[in-house]
Amino acid sequence: DTAVSQTPKYLVTQMGNDKSIKCEQNLGHDTMYWYKQDSKKFLKIMFSYNNKELIINETVPNRFSPKSPDKAHLNLHINSLELGDSAVYFCASSPVLAGEYEQYFGPGTRLTVT
Amino acid sequence: GEDVEQSLFLSVREGDSSVINCTYTDSSSTYLYWYKQEPGAGLQLLTYIFSNMDMKQDQRLTVLLNKKDKHLSLRIADTQTGDSAIYFCAERRDGTGRRALTFGSGTRLQVQP
């Protein structure tokens, strides 16, 4: 019954490693997002995909590469991890139809880089 | 979020009303939202208001929107200890076609028994 799921829930890794976070939604939505929440709880949009096409790419280092194999999945791959990448990463999805208002969030992935 | 501002902390006693305030800067925002985040959890949509409305009530929650002052508030009546969480306001700016949300910094609500 999970609407937006993310794996893993926790990820601890060392600087310089490459890691991926996966996101899946079973709501039939066309648009998916990645948000980053830092230690002060600030939430900022990183990427957005609509029907597998990138529509938002904020000023995120190119070590971060989103990949959308189909419209139900949006994965986030991070190369050469740095200490400052430690944060909680939230995936979200929403319908694309006009008038539909809600974004559904996943439970978050807490990434700790040591 | 530099464009959406909230006070960081609010403490109330159980049974009192809580009022969480938010100011935003983009007058083209179409929808404004309130999300709740409990410790270690994701974001849960509490309520939203469309920009052509002044007020919306949903059980214990009342949202007031002053579009002239770009001010949004969330009132929680009869606040309970289970309401302790971080509350985020967010705006959606459809004009750019982005549909992504811009969040405030969050207000941590602490409810004293």
Side-chain angles (χ1 to χ4, degrees), chain A residues 9 33 35 37 40-45 48 55-56 58 90 94-97 99-103 105-107, chain B residues 1-2 31 33 35 37 40-45 48 86 88 92 97-106 108:
Chain A
K9 191 168 167 65
Y33 311 81
Y35 289 86
Q37 185 176 44
K40 294 183 179 174
K41 303 296 186 185
F42 283 116
L43 264 159
K44 289 201 77 170
I45 182 71
S48 174
I55 55 172
I56 296 174
E58 292 295 302
F90 287 99
S94 68
V96 78
L97 298 173
E100 294 286 343
Y101 54 85
E102 185 166 354
Q103 284 195 13
F105 282 78
Chain B
E2 58 271 13
Y31 287 100
Y33 304 80
Y35 279 85
Q37 185 179 30
L43 285 92
Q44 173 196 354
L45 179 68
Y48 72 97
I86 300 176
F88 292 92
R92 192 179 94 179
R98 287 163 47 97
R99 302 180 66 86
L101 302 182
T102 301
F103 284 87
S105 53
R108 187 180 295 274

Side-chain angles (χ1 to χ4, degrees), chain A residues 3-29:
Chain A
V4 183
S5 59
Q6 295 179 228
T7 53
K9 191 168 167 65
Y10 299 98
L11 182 55
V12 181
T13 187
Q14 291 185 329
M15 281 174 58
N17 284 348
D18 304 337
K19 290 292 177 187
S20 292
I21 307 172
K22 296 187 177 182
C23 177
E24 177 181 2
Q25 54 95 3
N26 61 6
L27 299 164
H29 289 166

Side-chain angles (χ1 to χ4, degrees), chain B residues 8 18 20 26 31-32 35 43 51 67 69 80 90 93 95:
Chain B
L8 291 180
S18 309
I20 302 171
D26 193 329
Y31 287 100
L32 295 138
Y35 279 85
L43 285 92
S51 57
K67 207 172 172 186
D69 294 338
Q80 304 297 307
R93 305 167 186 171

Side-chain angles (χ1 to χ4, degrees), chain A residues 10 23-24 33 47 53 60 69 79 84 87 90 109 111 114:
Chain A
Y10 299 98
C23 177
E24 177 181 2
Y33 311 81
F47 301 103
E53 184 182 339
V60 175
N79 288 328
F90 287 99
T109 296
L111 171 65
T114 61

Side-chain angles (χ1 to χ4, degrees), chain B:
Chain B
E2 58 271 13
D3 296 337
V4 182
E5 294 187 355
Q6 300 178 237
S7 52
L8 291 180
F9 188 75
L10 175 66
S11 179
V12 300
R13 289 201 173 276
E14 193 172 17
D16 287 350
S17 292
S18 309
V19 179
I20 302 171
N21 294 302
C22 171
T23 56
Y24 61 98
T25 57
D26 193 329
S27 57
S28 68
S29 295
T30 53
Y31 287 100
L32 295 138
Y33 304 80
W34 284 103
Y35 279 85
K36 176 183 180 183
Q37 185 179 30
E38 295 183 8
L43 285 92
Q44 173 196 354
L45 179 68
L46 286 179
T47 188
Y48 72 97
I49 189 166
F50 190 50
S51 57
N52 67 355
M53 299 167 66
D54 297 324
M55 186 182 93
K56 181 177 180 181
Q57 188 150 3
D58 184 0
Q59 299 182 334
R60 292 192 297 123
L61 304 178
T62 303
V63 179
L64 295 177
L65 175 61
N66 181 330
K67 207 172 172 186
K68 174 175 165 287
D69 294 338
K70 299 191 188 74
H71 183 265
L72 181 73
S73 67
L74 174 69
R75 179 177 180 269
I76 306 173
D78 187 25
T79 314
Q80 304 297 307
T81 54
D83 295 325
S84 293
I86 300 176
Y87 291 80
F88 292 92
C89 68
E91 57 176 344
R92 192 179 94 179
R93 305 167 186 171
D94 277 355
T96 62
R98 287 163 47 97
R99 302 180 66 86
L101 302 182
T102 301
F103 284 87
S105 53
T107 299
R108 187 180 295 274
L109 174 65
Q110 183 178 68
V111 182
Q112 313 272 9

